[in-house]
Amino acid sequence: MDCSLSYATILKQTVQKATIAQPRLQAIQLYPVCDADSGHFLILATGWDKQQWIDSILFHARLVNDRVLIEQDNFEEGLTHALIAAGINAEHIVTSLEPHGNSSQTEWVDAV
């Protein structure tokens, strides 16, 4: 089954919803960046935190071969549960890759 279209939609909606739901502390703004063509879905945080400029990635997921690879998730509770609740199969989500970890988790990433 080709899940990529629906998974892309779910990722986009979840990323957009997460940027709206976060409280605006200091002058930091959250921006959703969703590119279904390349398969990258990010949340950027930029702005001033006290006397320091912040420009960082809070969340980054890639859609690869009908799988969701969570590259980075700096939300307190994470967005994985929100993605699963929205309809992404939990078995299609990889949240961490270890260089010498389980090869079954990395096989589909290496194929790209």
Side-chain angles (χ1 to χ4, degrees), residues 60-71:
H60 179 199
R62 290 191 300 140
L63 186 56
V64 181
N65 298 334
D66 299 332
R67 299 286 193 265
V68 177
L69 172 60
I70 308 285
E71 297 280 4

Side-chain angles (χ1 to χ4, degrees), residues 10-93:
I10 291 170
L11 278 161
K12 180 178 179 182
Q13 291 171 348
T14 302
V15 163
Q16 290 175 336
K17 189 175 184 179
T19 60
I20 294 168
Q22 297 301 312
R24 302 294 189 247
L25 301 175
Q26 306 290 327
I28 296 175
Q29 297 291 315
L30 302 181
Y31 299 98
V33 179
C34 304
D35 185 1
D37 291 336
S38 69
H40 289 269
F41 300 84
L42 298 94
I43 297 176
L44 302 176
T46 62
W48 290 99
D49 182 19
K50 300 176 185 166
Q51 299 288 328
Q52 183 177 0
W53 179 255
I54 302 294
D55 184 10
S56 63
I57 297 172
L58 292 181
F59 178 82
H60 179 199
R62 290 191 300 140
L63 186 56
V64 181
N65 298 334
D66 299 332
R67 299 286 193 265
V68 177
L69 172 60
I70 308 285
E71 297 280 4
Q72 188 167 354
D73 189 351
N74 292 317
F75 281 88
E76 188 172 330
E77 295 181 14
L79 294 183
T80 302
H81 294 295
L83 293 170
I84 293 168
I88 294 180
N89 186 333
E91 295 165 354
H92 291 173
I93 297 176

